[in-house]
Amino acid sequence: MNNSTPDMNELLVQYLDGEIQGEEKNNLEQQLAADAALQQQYDSLLLTRESIRYYGLQQKVASIHQEMMNEMQIAPVKPISNSRRTLRYALSVAASLLLLVGGYIAYQFFTLSPDKVFSANYQPYELSSTRDINTTETATEKAYRAGNYKEVIRIYSAKEETGVKAAFLSGVSAMQSKDFTSAINNFTAVLDMNKGAAVKTLNDDAEYYLALSYIHTRDYDYALELMDKIKQDPAHTYHSKVTKKMIRQVKMLKWR
Amino acid sequence: MEVIRNFSDQELVDNLKGGKRMDETIKAIYRSHFEGLSWYIMNNSGSQQDAEDVFQEVVVNFIDLVKKDKFRGESTIKTFLFSLNRHTWLNELKRRGRAVAREEKFAKGTYGEQEKDRITPDGHQAIADREGKAAILKLVAALGDTCKKILLLFYYENMSMKEILDATDYDNEQVVRNKKYKCLKQLEQMILEKPSLKDTLKNLLHE
């Protein structure tokens, strides 16, 4: 029997599509059971239909796939490999440390004030308690030792007493009285008087206290100039007082 | 605005089997399972693109199995999908010539050792022969647009000849019927010309 007739082909397709019923269907099924070649022909149609259905399903999912990928791009999944996990941990520790250090620096930066730097480095000048028996204590020295800073300033202002020492004591007295502008004038006078002198009196002290006064009046460039000079001179009386930290803090104040 | 809803496993299976609310159901599968499955691939030497490609393939195979009543709810959909995903990916790694055992590092975490190996033999078959399936898709894609449309409407969407007539420009149902017949025979011929695809299709048909 020739199963390749157009009629038989069409009949098989109709059977595939469920379009034949009753006796016709039964006859075909009997033929299929008895004829391996016909069954093979029918199987070929089944496989063809299966390929269409599989393609249809794939197309359906593909049409939704991109839409869903776009929707879920908001939170893409990241791989975590062992090495990356270690790296991530290390980075998070580093980040925490950085945050702590950064936070500390930021805290220091924003809470830093000229008052703070001044207070951390200022100590009232103390007159030496040992005296040469051949010299007598001056009025400014006496008043300063007694803590009578107003009197020291008055004596120097009234020119009742002049000279480097009186100017210096007037300067430190002004600092004690929170009059930093006057203090700056007094210390500058000390430095001027010492210029060209064979023996400089209280020059190192005046420089240090002048620098502190400049910090208080926010003249940081002048302060830094003096501080650098002190820092670079190991023989300076206040060399060890001017620390790197102090210089760094004044530089930070400059950028506030 | 689209309403996003979750389906129970049973609802998902019923929808897929009956071809009901397919878009919504497929989207629900993506939303519920893509992240977990892609996590597995991306932690086993896969890229984001690999994860997306494999997931798409897994969803196609899963729906195909459900439609053929090969998923009988013996495990959860999550476990079943994970198994399909894992085997698909391991096959792909094998194909790429990698040391599979060495690659699989983090499978345990989310699903556990026991669950990941619980896959039905049908499932194994379903993910076999990826290249054969890809070749079949390519073959059907090579059909003319009109043929593809008529065959898909009839055999995939299960539309009647009358419905197809309404969706096309043909004069009457008989013309559509004749066209469909010719297209089917054309595709059959294309498949017959590639004997190597026969086994793939047989597996697909009987999985």
Side-chain angles (χ1 to χ4, degrees):
Chain A
M1 181 182 166
N2 182 4
N3 292 326
S4 299
T5 60
D7 283 354
M8 183 50 85
N9 275 329
E10 282 183 31
L11 191 65
L12 284 174
V13 172
Q14 284 172 9
Y15 178 62
L16 177 80
D17 296 349
E19 289 178 347
I20 58 169
Q21 304 294 328
E23 200 179 336
E24 197 177 15
K25 187 183 173 191
N26 289 338
N27 285 342
L28 183 59
E29 283 174 349
Q30 279 174 13
Q31 273 183 279
L32 283 168
D35 188 341
L38 188 66
Q39 180 65 50
Q40 206 175 342
Q41 254 182 279
Y42 180 65
D43 286 348
S44 172
L45 286 175
L46 279 173
L47 296 184
T48 306
R49 185 180 68 181
E50 183 60 23
S51 70
I52 298 161
R53 287 184 173 165
Y54 191 74
Y55 179 82
L57 176 60
Q58 196 273 341
Q59 290 291 296
K60 166 62 86 182
V61 174
S63 70
I64 293 169
H65 180 83
Q66 200 48 55
E67 184 188 337
M68 293 312 293
M69 287 304 104
N70 291 339
E71 180 186 308
M72 291 187 288
Q73 279 307 307
I74 303 158
V77 180
K78 300 280 184 197
I80 309 165
S81 66
N82 257 348
S83 56
R84 289 188 68 170
R85 196 174 291 187
T86 310
L87 181 65
R88 199 167 75 164
Y89 177 74
L91 281 175
S92 61
V93 170
S96 305
L97 284 173
L98 200 65
L99 202 66
L100 276 173
V101 172
Y104 175 76
I105 291 170
Y107 176 80
Q108 291 292 317
F109 183 76
F110 289 111
T111 58
L112 199 63
S113 67
D115 278 347
K116 219 172 173 180
V117 178
F118 178 86
S119 304
N121 295 284
Y122 175 70
Q123 277 186 326
Y125 178 76
E126 284 184 33
L127 277 170
S128 168
S129 54
T130 53
R131 297 199 58 79
D132 190 332
I133 49 163
N134 295 321
T135 57
T136 52
E137 197 171 46
T138 63
T140 48
E141 281 177 314
K142 203 179 277 180
Y144 188 82
R145 205 184 294 280
N148 191 352
Y149 305 119
K150 278 186 184 173
E151 178 62 10
V152 177
I153 294 165
R154 191 200 63 75
I155 296 169
Y156 180 71
S157 300
K159 296 187 179 173
E160 289 173 19
E161 200 176 294
T162 54
V164 174
K165 192 154 198 174
F168 178 79
L169 287 176
S170 177
V172 287
S173 295
M175 283 179 91
Q176 285 291 85
S177 311
K178 310 279 181 204
D179 180 2
F180 294 97
T181 309
S182 297
I184 288 168
N185 290 334
N186 293 156
F187 294 133
T188 308
V190 172
L191 298 181
D192 283 344
M193 283 186 264
N194 276 330
K195 262 182 198 163
V199 180
K200 297 181 194 290
T201 310
L202 294 165
N203 204 68
D204 288 358
D205 308 79
E207 282 178 340
Y208 183 71
Y209 282 102
L210 179 59
L212 286 179
S213 300
Y214 277 137
I215 289 171
H216 212 285
T217 57
R218 302 178 186 225
D219 292 313
Y220 302 124
D221 284 335
Y222 290 134
L224 281 168
E225 196 179 318
L226 285 164
M227 286 160 70
D228 285 341
K229 181 174 179 284
I230 297 168
K231 190 73 198 155
Q232 282 166 22
D233 180 6
H236 199 285
T237 314
Y238 291 82
H239 175 76
S240 61
K241 283 250 186 193
V242 177
T243 59
K244 280 182 184 170
K245 183 186 172 188
M246 185 183 175
I247 292 174
R248 195 173 59 239
Q249 284 180 326
V250 176
K251 282 180 179 171
M252 276 166 78
L253 284 171
K254 249 183 87 173
W255 297 108
R256 284 284 308 274
Chain B
M1 198 181 120
E2 186 185 7
V3 176
I4 298 174
R5 58 162 297 191
N6 290 317
F7 296 98
S8 68
D9 275 15
Q10 192 55 53
E11 282 177 308
L12 278 175
V13 170
D14 289 347
N15 287 350
L16 296 175
K17 256 187 203 169
K20 292 177 291 181
R21 303 161 76 180
M22 285 296 276
D23 285 21
E24 206 184 338
T25 308
I26 295 169
K27 284 178 186 178
I29 296 174
Y30 269 83
R31 289 192 186 103
S32 302
H33 302 290
F34 175 72
E35 199 175 332
L37 267 55
S38 60
W39 183 93
Y40 170 82
I41 288 173
M42 292 173 75
N43 284 290
N44 283 286
S45 306
S47 65
Q48 171 85 23
Q49 191 59 50
D50 291 329
E52 291 181 15
D53 294 346
V54 170
F55 190 79
Q56 183 176 345
E57 203 176 311
V58 163
V59 172
V60 170
N61 287 323
F62 173 66
I63 297 171
D64 192 43
L65 288 167
V66 170
K67 278 176 173 289
K68 288 168 184 157
D69 210 15
K70 298 291 180 184
F71 174 75
R72 299 192 182 91
E74 286 153 354
S75 64
T76 62
I77 289 179
K78 180 180 176 179
T79 304
F80 195 79
L81 288 175
F82 179 79
S83 299
L84 286 176
N85 186 64
R86 176 175 175 265
H87 283 269
T88 305
W89 180 236
L90 294 187
N91 279 349
E92 175 60 18
L93 284 180
K94 254 182 210 165
R95 195 186 67 78
R96 292 181 189 180
R98 304 243 184 116
V100 175
R102 187 166 48 86
E103 301 294 347
E104 195 175 13
K105 297 168 192 163
F106 302 115
K108 206 171 172 178
T110 317
Y111 293 84
E113 287 292 336
Q114 279 187 325
E115 273 195 307
K116 75 176 183 184
D117 282 326
R118 276 170 48 195
I119 185 165
T120 64
D122 291 332
H124 278 296
Q125 203 172 29
I127 49 90
D129 198 11
R130 299 174 68 222
E131 284 174 29
K133 284 177 181 175
I136 289 162
L137 294 173
K138 202 173 164 187
L139 205 65
V140 180
L143 271 177
D145 286 346
T146 311
C147 273
K148 258 189 297 190
K149 186 175 180 182
I150 291 176
L151 291 176
L152 284 172
L153 290 177
F154 190 81
Y155 289 112
Y156 179 72
E157 300 286 355
N158 295 319
M159 284 169 73
S160 68
M161 282 297 164
K162 188 177 182 315
E163 286 171 318
I164 295 173
L165 179 67
D166 292 341
T168 54
D169 296 330
Y170 292 99
D171 292 337
N172 56 58
E173 274 185 48
Q174 191 52 48
V175 178
V176 180
R177 192 178 298 277
N178 292 344
K179 183 69 180 169
K180 191 219 89 183
Y181 178 79
K182 280 183 188 169
C183 292
L184 184 69
K185 294 304 273 186
Q186 186 191 340
L187 181 61
E188 183 188 22
Q189 193 53 42
M190 287 160 77
I191 291 169
L192 288 172
E193 283 167 9
K194 293 198 184 297
S196 60
L197 296 183
K198 206 173 169 182
D199 285 343
T200 304
L201 278 167
K202 272 186 182 169
N203 285 335
L204 205 54
L205 191 62
H206 299 296
E207 68 187 11

